[in-house]
Amino acid sequence: MDATCPGFFNPPHMIGPRFSAAAETYDLHARPQLALAQSVVSILPEKVPEKILELGVGTGQLTRLLVARFPNTPIDAIDVAEKMIEHSRAKFSHLPQINWILGDAQTYGSGERYPLIVSSSALHWVSDLRATFENIFQNLKPHGTLALGMMLQGTLKELHELRQAIAPEKTPTISLPAYAEIQALLQAAGFRLERQTHDEEQVLYPDAKAFLRAIHEQGVTGGKVSAGNAPLTRTELSRLVVDYQEAYASDGGVHATYETATFLLTKRESKRTPPRGLQGCSC
Ligand SMILES: C[S@@+](CC[C@H](N)C(=O)[O-])C[C@H]1O[C@@H](n2cnc3c(N)ncnc32)[C@H](O)[C@@H]1O
């Protein structure tokens, strides 16, 4: 197992290759991401949109659900990892309504304004969340909708604790965004919050080795959720497996926490409108 992948804070050209490497195996190990994608679809408005922009499509877990929900709606599907785009374009070649595009969610813009933009388990990877939300705001039509699923700070907290105990000098200095931070950035970008959910779930794995393999296959090991500023040695890695097995045993396996949130937002008419923002939440 490779615990040496580049960090979350690296620019997208570094993120892309890591996700490209995980393209073939991602779906087998991405149950938490599938659950989040399902939550995102469950909060979408009833109205059929004329077009959808999806950001960070990966292997198309959310895309597949969007097609089931809106079978006749064209989708522009963006990912920064070339191999993910190739993999998904081939996998979904029977669905000509999907336009697979290599691009960065932080800067992507074709001049087109979309009535619906969606993203799940992807935007916590961008290097500048503020710029990304501002860019999404620009890409939305007035009164358009953004539906977002995000992995948050508490994700894989058990792994963080153990890494801290085993190799404190190699602890990641950057963490996933916190719930309040995302709310504030969305509000600052000009969105009005319509609905939100916030969950913490413990996912069960057969054993510590299977867990570490699963997060590696999700392309997650190198992200800010688990990578340190230096690789663990073979000895440290072996200790991590043994200690994880002991410390986080549950129901015949081991558990790992995933903290997630979904947000349903609309583009306010003008950023100059008095900032009702998140106060307008109806949840
Ligand atoms: C964990 S996968 C999630 C894929 C899918 N949305 C799902 O729900 O399973 C994250 C994806 O986001 C992509 N990604 C990361 N940063 C990105 C960026 N700045 N712009 C576009 N895609 C990005 C990665 O390449 C990867 O394919």
Side-chain angles (χ1 to χ4, degrees):
M1 188 191 55
D2 170 19
T4 69
C5 301
F8 162 89
F9 39 89
N10 284 316
H13 67 274
M14 294 299 284
I15 296 291
R18 181 150 41 73
F19 275 106
S20 284
E24 305 296 332
T25 48
Y26 175 86
D27 285 352
L28 290 173
H29 301 281
R31 270 189 309 128
Q33 288 83 353
L34 178 59
L36 188 56
Q38 286 164 337
S39 301
V40 169
V41 171
S42 75
I43 60 169
L44 290 177
E46 288 296 311
K47 189 170 176 243
V48 178
E50 304 115 56
K51 193 157 182 184
I52 301 172
L53 173 65
E54 187 192 339
L55 302 169
V57 284
T59 56
Q61 288 206 113
L62 173 60
T63 325
R64 185 196 299 279
L65 301 174
L66 291 169
V67 170
R69 174 78 181 270
F70 302 118
N72 300 315
T73 301
I75 301 174
D76 281 349
I78 311 290
D79 202 285
V80 79
E82 196 169 358
K83 203 163 167 204
M84 280 292 185
I85 288 292
E86 280 171 18
H87 172 90
S88 297
R89 185 182 282 127
K91 188 164 86 175
F92 294 99
S93 58
H94 57 293
L95 296 173
Q97 70 269 45
I98 309 173
N99 181 23
W100 301 96
I101 301 167
L102 185 63
D104 183 349
Q106 198 167 305
T107 51
Y108 177 78
S110 63
E112 183 167 358
R113 300 279 177 265
Y114 296 84
L116 177 61
I117 300 182
V118 295
S119 185
S120 187
S121 301
L123 295 188
H124 49 266
W125 291 103
V126 301
S127 54
D128 187 342
L129 209 43
R130 180 186 297 274
T132 304
F133 288 157
E134 285 171 358
N135 189 45
I136 293 174
F137 193 88
Q138 290 306 319
N139 285 326
L140 266 184
K141 277 188 170 172
H143 308 292
T145 299
L146 168 64
L148 198 57
M150 302 273 294
M151 294 273 171
L152 303 178
Q153 210 169 40
T155 297
L156 306 185
K157 63 185 178 191
E158 299 83 1
L159 186 61
H160 286 232
E161 278 165 24
L162 268 190
R163 276 196 71 127
Q164 172 70 22
I166 291 171
E169 73 289 358
K170 295 177 181 174
T171 300
T173 48
I174 294 182
S175 63
L176 284 176
Y179 189 54
E181 181 189 345
I182 295 175
Q183 286 179 316
L185 290 175
L186 287 167
Q187 183 173 22
F191 290 103
R192 175 189 161 87
L193 182 66
E194 306 293 345
R195 266 184 86 175
Q196 61 187 330
T197 62
H198 183 196
D199 293 300
E200 199 174 88
E201 197 203 350
Q202 289 198 336
V203 175
L204 196 63
Y205 294 86
D207 55 37
K209 266 194 185 156
F211 159 63
L212 291 169
R213 196 176 315 116
I215 60 166
H216 180 63
E217 300 297 350
Q218 289 165 25
V220 165
T221 13
K224 67 180 172 182
V225 283
S226 58
N229 50 10
L232 292 185
T233 62
R234 197 169 280 275
T235 312
E236 287 165 340
L237 211 46
S238 306
R239 206 181 133 196
L240 186 70
V241 173
V242 172
D243 289 1
Y244 202 103
Q245 189 69 43
E246 260 180 43
Y248 302 112
S250 341
D251 289 335
V254 299
H255 70 261
T257 298
Y258 287 81
E259 184 193 1
T260 59
T262 62
F263 299 92
L264 186 71
L265 307 122
T266 46
K267 179 171 180 169
R268 283 193 275 129
E269 246 173 292
S270 153
K271 275 201 187 188
R272 288 201 199 98
T273 312
R276 290 170 68 198
L278 302 182
Q279 292 156 17
C281 178
S282 58
C283 47

